[in-house]
Amino acid sequence: MSLSSLIGNEQNKELLKRSLRSGRLPHALLFAGPEGVGKRQFALSLAKAVNCQQAVSGAGAGVYPEDSCDRCGSCFRIANKEHLDVVEIKPDGAYIRIDQAREVARQAMLRPMEGRKRVFCIDEAEKLRDEAANAILKTLEEPPETTLIILITATPNSLLPTLRSRCQLLNFAPLPIEEIESYLAANYKRPAADTRLLARLSNGSIGRAISIDLSVYRNARKELLELTDVLARSRDPLRLIKAAEHFGKKEREEFIDILDIWSRILRDIFSILLDQKEGIVNEDVITRLEQLAAAVSIRLISELAESIEELRRNLRVNINKQIALESLFLRIIDLQATS
Ligand SMILES: [Zn+2]
């Protein structure tokens, strides 16, 4: 995709286009922002623009077309990850290894093989530590005219300051829900309620919105609505023991997803209790949420939400999920007995 066709982060788009056409593109950039908001897409589109074969009228040194044409051989090869001058580097294991960094430093000094600029996109740049970071410091400081280095990170604060200070920073923000909703509506055929739900579940990321399987989501949500109901009303011990067993068996990643879905349900119920319904995510089951809201107190919902957060924190050490859930249920039942 060209810069113009990317969704959101308009300021960054304009800034990059301006630098391209004025010949003032920095040689080292840092793209910072949460996962899934388009940092990698922006980096690739920029790599296309500097290597695009479309003519630039009256071009001086370092002047590029302000956007890629997305039709020439170069744009095509970059999109297919076949272009010899556009290199993506990712951590190999927990870190970016020193030999990976040295290879970047070495290649950065060479002339481009087919295009006008060698572009190195270093993903998860916060994983450049110590010697590996040192290996590219000098390259970041004064790369040849024909080299562009783009560091990408979701956690700019954990990036080494020596790296950060050598790059021009561009912050990327999550997209507004409305933008995601209209993008999804324009590009995918779905019932409007589904599009709306996906946009609200996206955390401002189109990539995330596209990757969500709504039928899986709705199944999990149904189970969690039932569980919340049991906790709030019948407190049937047998059903709670079964629920702890059922959810406790999930793999860690899926279990974290379950906790996320549950937290959102509770936030929705909370919004109903506070009569602030505009931010509700699970609007398509609003009647069910309202029934639950009528059966619980704010105190119960807060306690439950806090317990889920605590459980999520405890997952960092390898706890037994089933036992942790059982004790969470017990605490909530105790709370109701004393109130
Ligand atoms: Zn092109």
Side-chain angles (χ1 to χ4, degrees):
M1 292 211 277
S2 60
L3 283 170
S4 306
S5 60
L6 296 175
I7 316 285
N9 287 292
E10 295 300 326
Q11 277 188 333
N12 291 344
K13 210 181 281 179
E14 286 316 310
L15 187 141
L16 289 173
K17 285 184 179 181
R18 222 169 30 240
S19 334
L20 283 163
R21 62 173 181 260
S22 65
R24 289 202 208 96
L25 186 69
H27 49 254
L29 292 160
L30 171 60
F31 288 1
E35 279 309 324
V37 297
K39 302 185 297 296
R40 276 166 216 96
Q41 279 295 341
F42 265 76
L44 272 188
S45 299
L46 183 58
K48 278 187 190 170
V50 294
N51 283 304
C52 184
Q53 289 158 341
Q54 71 177 338
V56 188
S57 56
V63 174
Y64 300 94
E66 68 161 27
D67 205 346
S68 59
C69 72
D70 263 3
R71 282 192 298 271
C72 70
S74 169
C75 284
F76 195 71
R77 280 198 299 287
I78 293 174
N80 284 324
K81 304 196 185 297
E82 291 165 355
H83 199 286
L84 298 173
D85 294 317
V86 178
V87 183
E88 289 180 83
I89 296 102
K90 291 183 193 328
D92 180 6
Y95 294 100
I96 294 173
R97 293 193 328 264
I98 181 165
D99 52 320
Q100 288 179 285
R102 281 192 184 134
E103 188 56 19
V104 171
R106 187 187 71 81
Q107 288 184 19
M109 301 312 288
L110 306 174
R111 294 190 56 76
M113 284 187 275
E114 54 172 313
R116 287 190 291 175
K117 240 185 196 337
R118 281 185 184 257
V119 183
F120 299 89
C121 305
I122 306 184
D123 213 350
E124 299 182 56
E126 73 282 359
K127 293 181 177 162
L128 265 171
R129 314 300 300 180
D130 310 324
E131 280 181 89
N134 280 333
I136 66 157
L137 275 189
K138 205 174 142 36
T139 315
L140 275 180
E141 203 149 38
E142 39 190 44
E145 280 297 309
T146 51
T147 291
L148 168 65
I149 300 180
I150 306 172
L151 302 187
I152 299 171
T153 183
T155 54
N157 290 334
S158 40
L159 195 75
L160 291 182
T162 45
L163 295 175
R164 206 165 51 216
S165 64
R166 285 167 171 81
C167 302
Q168 177 166 340
L169 172 68
L170 266 74
N171 280 309
F172 286 75
L175 308 187
I177 288 171
E178 299 73 34
E179 269 185 48
I180 294 192
E181 195 176 337
S182 57
Y183 173 84
L184 292 177
N187 290 281
Y188 299 88
K189 260 209 173 100
R190 277 199 195 92
D194 288 9
T195 302
R196 204 170 160 74
L197 179 59
L198 281 177
R200 285 169 180 238
L201 290 171
S202 69
N203 292 342
S205 154
I206 285 185
R208 185 174 148 74
I210 293 169
S211 70
I212 295 171
D213 182 335
L214 269 188
S215 64
V216 172
Y217 174 80
R218 286 199 166 108
N219 273 336
R221 184 178 66 181
K222 185 163 173 280
E223 292 174 344
L224 290 163
L225 285 166
E226 273 164 26
L227 174 60
T228 312
D229 196 313
V230 174
L231 276 172
R233 290 203 275 212
S234 73
R235 290 162 229 164
D236 176 352
L238 197 63
R239 288 188 67 184
L240 290 175
I241 288 170
K242 278 193 173 156
E245 193 188 345
H246 171 68
F247 290 114
K249 271 194 299 215
K250 308 269 184 200
E251 292 297 327
R252 193 170 178 280
E253 291 304 309
E254 197 188 346
F255 190 73
I256 292 172
D257 286 345
I258 296 277
L259 294 184
D260 284 343
I261 299 171
W262 203 7
S263 298
R264 279 186 199 269
I265 291 175
L266 297 177
R267 275 206 297 276
D268 284 352
I269 296 176
F270 207 74
S271 302
I272 293 171
L273 287 169
L274 297 177
D275 205 18
Q276 294 174 342
K277 297 190 186 171
E278 59 281 355
I280 288 178
V281 171
N282 297 290
E283 228 177 22
D284 54 327
V285 287
I286 185 83
T287 317
R288 184 83 174 97
L289 291 169
E290 281 169 347
Q291 286 167 357
L292 283 170
V296 296
S297 63
I298 286 192
R299 178 155 173 250
L300 178 83
I301 291 295
S302 316
E303 186 68 28
L304 191 47
E306 266 172 42
S307 303
I308 292 171
E309 276 317 304
E310 194 188 324
L311 177 51
R312 193 201 307 268
R313 281 195 299 276
N314 289 341
L315 279 175
R316 284 184 207 143
V317 289
N318 255 335
I319 54 159
N320 181 315
K321 300 189 283 293
Q322 183 177 342
I323 294 175
L325 277 175
E326 281 168 4
S327 79
L328 185 156
F329 297 162
L330 271 180
R331 192 174 344 152
I332 297 303
I333 288 173
D334 277 353
L335 177 85
Q336 285 164 295
T338 58
S339 59

